[in-house]
Amino acid sequence: MALIEVYEEQYLGLVKGINEKLDKLSSVPPSSERWNGMIKAIEQDIQVAEEIQSKLDMEVRRLKGDSKMAFQTRCKQYRIDIGVCKETLETHTRQTRASRDPNADREELFSGATANGNSEEYRINLTKSADQRSRMVNATSRLEASSDRLKESRRIAEETEMIGADIMQDLRQQRETLLHTRDSAKEIEENLSQSRKVMKAMFRRIAQNRRVMYGVAIAAIVLVVGVLALRFSPRGGSAPSLAP
């Protein structure tokens, strides 16, 4: 997993936890020990989220192409998310101060309100903050879904790359097998050619030996016939004897 994805996953987890704590904050008695602890925890989480946001911005600046534009859009939404969380936390804090001392921070809480303590604008701001936080949660959910789809696409791409690498390995092995087969075929062809040469030489010798044998046989036959002819010819017989 890339470093920017690690930061993004940490940020989304922090924002999700902050929103859950803000939702629970309304049901906790104000100024109680638990309430103060939750406020402090939310402030710390927001601070950590801002630090991660800064790291994300640094990593995004190193990116190039379409991925950089996509992350820039998401980081812009992340900054809005942190702002909404801080505004919601500030609203809860103001409400608690007002419940403890109705006269405290009147100008800050009821800017533009009437002197009789009308808090209509405060309620409007609180509603607006809740709406913004709701939109932020929805946007964060969409970004999480988009991030999950991106991770799934990357996983599929990695699997496809692995399959492609396996196919390339198989093709290399098949190529080596074919080359070995071709070399073996060449060697067999050379052996066959050598065998043909040897066979031709043997056939030539057999033909020569056969001609010599035929010549010897013919010569023997001629010799035998000549001997027989000389023996049985009239001149070859004994001369007639004279009477006394």
Side-chain angles (χ1 to χ4, degrees), residues 122-135:
Y122 172 76
R123 288 194 295 270
I124 292 174
N125 291 334
L126 186 61
T127 303
K128 186 185 296 184
S129 177
D131 292 340
Q132 289 177 346
R133 193 158 61 87
S134 177
R135 288 195 298 270

Side-chain angles (χ1 to χ4, degrees), residues 6-21 45 49 52 140 144:
V6 174
Y7 289 152
E8 186 178 32
E9 186 174 348
Q10 291 176 352
Y11 171 83
L12 293 174
L14 275 171
V15 171
K16 185 177 180 181
I18 291 170
N19 285 316
E20 291 176 352
K21 291 175 183 176
D45 289 345
I52 295 176
T140 303
E144 288 179 347

